[in-house]
Amino acid sequence: MIRFTISDIRLPKMTKYIFVTGGVTSSLGKGIVASSIGVLLQSRGLKVTIQKFDPYINVDPGTLNPYEHGECYVTDDGAETDLDLGHYERFLNISTSQANNVTTGRVYQTVISKEREGAYLGKTVQVIPHITDEIKRCILQLGSSGDYDVIITELGGTVGDIESLPYVESVRQLKWELGSTNAIVVHLTLIPYLSTAKELKTKPTQHSVKELSRNGLTPDLLVCRTDRKLGRDMCSKLARFCNVDQNSVIEAIDAATIYDVPILLQEQQIEQIILAKLRLSSLQKSDISEWKAFLKKLKNPDTHIEIGLVGKYIELQDAYKSILESFIHAGARLRCRVSIRPIHSEDLDQENTTEKLAGLHGILVAPGFGNRGVEGKIAAIRYVRENKIPFFGICLGMQCAVIEFARNVMGLSTAHSREMEPETAYPIIDMMEEQKNITTKGGTMRLGAYDCDLVAGSKIQKAYGSTSIQERHRHRYELNNQFLEQIESAGLSATGTNPQSGLVEAVELEDHPWFVGVQFHPEFKSRVTKPHPLFVAFVKAAMNFKSNGSEVRKNQEQY
Ligand code: GLN
């Protein structure tokens, strides 16, 4: 007879769920709070991922105007996602995928196609249970892989919005099904200060918690955004009226940088509170020394440079979120404060580049779509190429560098991208045949991670320290290989190539301190504790440029 002891029985590992909801107003930083909680749980040795549910009807944010929704973040598997996924990846040093971002549009799309296939056997398809069941399936999908100890789910929108209701209901059902030690709710809210009354006010928070309770959900933790200390009395008042434990009222005071947030939350023992509620015990001691080392460097720079960011969405910082964060990571690594001067590409032309770019130590020309502002980008590139100022071009930025080179060095004065000028005689940037065929099927972009081989000894190869890399893409057009020989013999080298398709992924000028353009988006792979090598190399080049005493204006006299 076989005898079992308790220790022989292997219980399936239960994935724990943390739901992050938001109350009172949007833009409270749910993504940063969710990411910070993730960092703290990771520091205990737990495997964590984060997913976001967005309550809009678009199937994904790929078609949303950056003015509406900020940057569209791209994952390795080619999903076009919400920019909060960028925070998740940067904070947790993880890679996310399509499964990490679900929208109401996607949920409905799935349910409606199932209905068309007859999957509901003639039943009336309704928000409850069909939409909520699909939401629940999506929420549990990553957890069912068994790869994670904890899944954090951020619910977009604000509690009380009509669109949020099916999500709140799904979380209510899941909490009940999984049990209160396997699923908890963290509610992020705002405690405003009324200057006339000289008082912090809890009423909006009470109302938003009441709204949650009306839908059958009570928060396990309350994270309160505030611009000043809450104090014990305020916390006990909030606890009493919002039905949470007193130690579960956490203050999220305005921080100097988003990277302070994990530390500020840890000081209030948020991770111990969460671990206790989820019955996760005997874990390793928290280790966030790498994070703290990053913060120390970030806050104590030895030097300072200024980089010009040339783009057409510069009024909205969120449009270039990942690029801005990548500079923070790279700057901290090099103990250099990187200030960014946003420069609207539409304001630039041949005549005013000297004035507009004065004092800069490097210029990054941003990604983008469409004709608007392209000539300004090209003017900026001509200026930095001729004046040997460090240049970094990303996606459209790289394409503009090739156009500029074709026009002003190769003498093809009307060279252009087919995207901007369909009838151009010199389509130096063009849509590839294979891509045109894909267009008819609807998927028009090259999206997600592709391999890239680098030329040994090139600037880009030295930056990576490797000859084969993988980077993420989001574009339709490519450098036209029919012109490649001509481009290379005129002095712009293709130093990165896709080994499968032969498409050019990176170009650089040899006779220049640092002039690199990449067809891919390196900014999506920069991490707090692992800055991206290309951003590090570019910042280094700008630091050298500065220390050689050659800021833009001085340089101008030389050439
Ligand atoms: N508009 C260009 C293309 O589609 C570049 C896109 C980008 O910068 N992401 O190829």
Side-chain angles (χ1 to χ4, degrees):
M1 191 174 87
I2 304 168
R3 279 179 182 272
F4 286 105
T5 64
I6 292 288
S7 59
D8 291 326
I9 304 170
R10 288 236 168 151
L11 290 172
K13 193 178 66 181
M14 177 72 206
T15 304
K16 306 280 182 173
Y17 289 87
I18 299 173
F19 297 98
V20 181
T21 57
V24 181
T25 168
S26 57
S27 307
L28 286 183
K30 276 199 299 278
I32 301 297
V33 168
S35 303
S36 301
I37 291 175
V39 167
L40 295 175
L41 296 177
Q42 258 187 347
S43 80
R44 295 300 197 110
L46 291 167
K47 292 186 83 182
V48 185
T49 193
I50 314 187
Q51 54 190 4
K52 176 152 194 207
F53 285 73
D54 277 310
Y56 48 73
I57 313 285
N58 306 64
V59 173
D60 63 47
T63 51
L64 283 173
N65 185 331
Y67 286 121
E68 284 274 321
H69 207 253
E71 164 188 280
C72 173
Y73 187 80
V74 180
T75 56
D76 278 334
D77 65 345
E80 297 178 279
T81 70
D82 185 84
L83 60 76
D84 268 325
L85 271 80
H87 290 308
Y88 307 161
E89 292 208 3
R90 288 188 282 272
F91 272 57
L92 275 73
N93 188 18
I94 53 169
S95 284
T96 57
S97 67
Q98 179 64 73
N100 294 73
N101 193 197
V102 177
T103 67
T104 295
R106 189 173 294 276
V107 169
Y108 271 81
Q109 195 183 45
T110 310
V111 170
I112 291 170
S113 357
K114 275 196 194 159
E115 186 271 339
R116 292 290 84 186
E117 288 159 14
Y120 297 111
L121 306 171
K123 285 221 160 58
T124 310
V125 181
Q126 293 176 301
V127 173
I128 298 172
H130 302 99
I131 295 296
T132 47
D133 278 353
E134 176 58 17
I135 293 174
K136 280 159 60 184
R137 190 189 67 78
C138 292
I139 289 176
L140 297 176
Q141 196 185 350
L142 281 171
S144 62
S145 68
D147 293 340
Y148 303 102
D149 302 308
V150 181
I151 310 259
I152 301 174
T153 304
E154 178 188 346
L155 297 189
T158 308
V159 167
D161 295 347
I162 290 176
E163 304 93 278
S164 297
L165 271 175
Y167 293 98
V168 174
E169 168 60 14
S170 305
V171 173
R172 184 197 68 76
Q173 292 183 21
L174 273 178
K175 222 184 149 187
W176 183 82
E177 287 162 22
L178 296 167
S180 60
T181 57
N182 294 319
I184 59 168
V185 173
V186 175
H187 188 57
L188 179 65
T189 168
L190 176 72
I191 312 289
Y193 179 78
L194 287 194
S195 50
T196 43
K198 294 197 174 49
E199 253 185 322
L200 284 163
K201 289 292 179 192
T202 63
K203 196 70 83 190
T205 297
Q206 292 182 43
H207 279 295
S208 90
V209 172
K210 202 167 275 172
E211 190 60 39
L212 260 186
S213 324
R214 241 163 42 92
N215 297 303
L217 213 54
T218 40
D220 297 276
L221 270 93
L222 215 51
V223 177
C224 306
R225 280 298 304 270
T226 168
D227 67 351
R228 61 204 68 211
K229 288 220 123 335
L230 289 181
R232 270 186 73 85
D233 289 350
M234 184 66 57
C235 289
S236 36
K237 183 175 173 187
L238 280 162
R240 190 172 333 118
F241 289 119
C242 299
N243 221 2
V244 295
D245 305 332
Q246 181 141 353
N247 72 351
S248 303
V249 178
I250 308 286
E251 169 194 286
I253 200 157
D254 293 353
T257 139
I258 53 170
Y259 300 110
D260 278 328
V261 178
I263 310 294
L264 292 172
L265 295 182
Q266 189 177 48
E267 281 165 9
Q268 298 170 78
Q269 306 192 322
I270 193 168
E271 92 226 27
Q272 284 92 326
I273 298 164
I274 290 176
L275 294 177
K277 287 189 192 288
L278 291 173
R279 305 278 190 277
L280 282 165
S281 53
S282 62
L283 297 166
Q284 69 185 48
K285 251 184 92 204
S286 168
D287 179 9
I288 49 168
S289 48
E290 249 193 304
W291 191 280
K292 285 186 172 160
F294 157 79
L295 265 182
K296 194 168 166 203
K297 285 194 200 159
L298 178 69
K299 292 184 173 185
N300 300 287
D302 294 331
T303 173
H304 167 233
I305 56 162
E306 191 178 11
I307 299 287
L309 172 63
V310 180
K312 67 171 173 177
Y313 302 113
I314 49 130
E315 305 88 321
L316 188 85
Q317 293 271 310
D318 272 0
Y320 301 115
K321 192 88 208 155
S322 294
I323 291 177
L324 299 178
E325 299 305 315
S326 301
F327 275 121
I328 294 177
H329 307 159
R333 168 63 55 92
L334 299 165
R335 284 194 180 263
C336 174
R337 184 162 66 83
V338 182
S339 308
I340 301 296
R341 186 193 305 172
I343 300 166
H344 205 303
S345 46
E346 278 184 297
D347 296 344
L348 281 174
D349 55 42
Q350 297 285 5
E351 276 64 56
N352 66 13
T353 41
T354 315
E355 174 209 336
K356 296 257 182 205
L357 308 180
L360 293 170
H361 307 111
I363 280 167
L364 186 145
V365 176
F369 292 84
N371 212 358
R372 191 164 66 87
V374 160
E375 292 304 323
K377 288 185 172 178
I378 293 172
I381 295 169
R382 176 175 197 169
Y383 186 81
V384 294
R385 180 179 56 76
E386 292 181 344
N387 291 288
K388 306 238 190 269
I389 298 155
F391 162 76
F392 192 9
I394 297 184
C395 211
L396 181 60
M398 174 257 199
Q399 298 177 353
C400 287
V402 180
I403 296 167
E404 189 280 320
F405 189 81
R407 287 184 187 177
N408 302 318
V409 179
M410 292 160 62
L412 309 176
S413 61
T414 56
H416 219 320
S417 161
R418 186 94 63 190
E419 177 182 10
M420 322 300 166
E421 184 57 66
E423 302 305 327
T424 176
Y426 304 109
I428 205 98
I429 305 292
D430 203 351
M431 194 181 276
M432 299 298 100
E433 281 309 314
E434 312 83 86
Q435 210 73 6
K436 285 182 197 157
N437 298 336
I438 300 171
T439 310
T440 54
K441 292 182 208 144
T444 58
M445 289 233 229
R446 184 143 82 101
L447 281 167
Y450 283 85
D451 294 333
C452 173
D453 286 349
L454 303 175
V455 173
S458 59
K459 288 187 184 78
I460 187 168
Q461 186 274 322
K462 284 187 198 146
Y464 280 95
S466 158
T467 51
S468 82
I469 55 158
Q470 258 210 346
E471 290 284 1
R472 300 179 192 173
H473 291 246
R474 182 175 186 248
H475 55 100
R476 289 187 182 88
Y477 295 84
E478 310 281 351
L479 188 150
N480 187 343
N481 273 340
Q482 284 174 6
F483 291 90
L484 185 58
E485 232 182 272
Q486 228 180 316
I487 295 172
E488 292 214 284
S489 54
L492 184 67
S493 317
T495 46
T497 313
N498 178 288
Q500 286 87 31
S501 62
L503 291 171
V504 173
E505 310 285 43
V507 293
E508 65 185 69
L509 276 180
E510 223 167 85
D511 183 26
H512 191 285
W514 212 86
F515 187 102
V516 175
V518 290
Q519 186 58 81
F520 48 78
H521 289 268
E523 71 273 23
F524 294 146
K525 284 177 77 169
S526 180
R527 310 282 192 253
V528 173
T529 51
K530 235 171 73 192
H532 194 285
L534 278 182
F535 278 86
V536 174
F538 176 53
V539 171
K540 224 184 250 174
M543 287 163 72
N544 288 339
F545 184 76
K546 184 184 178 190
S547 58
N548 292 340
S550 32
E551 69 192 34
V552 172
R553 207 180 286 280
K554 284 185 198 141
N555 221 40
Q556 175 68 11
E557 288 155 15
Q558 258 179 302
Y559 294 90

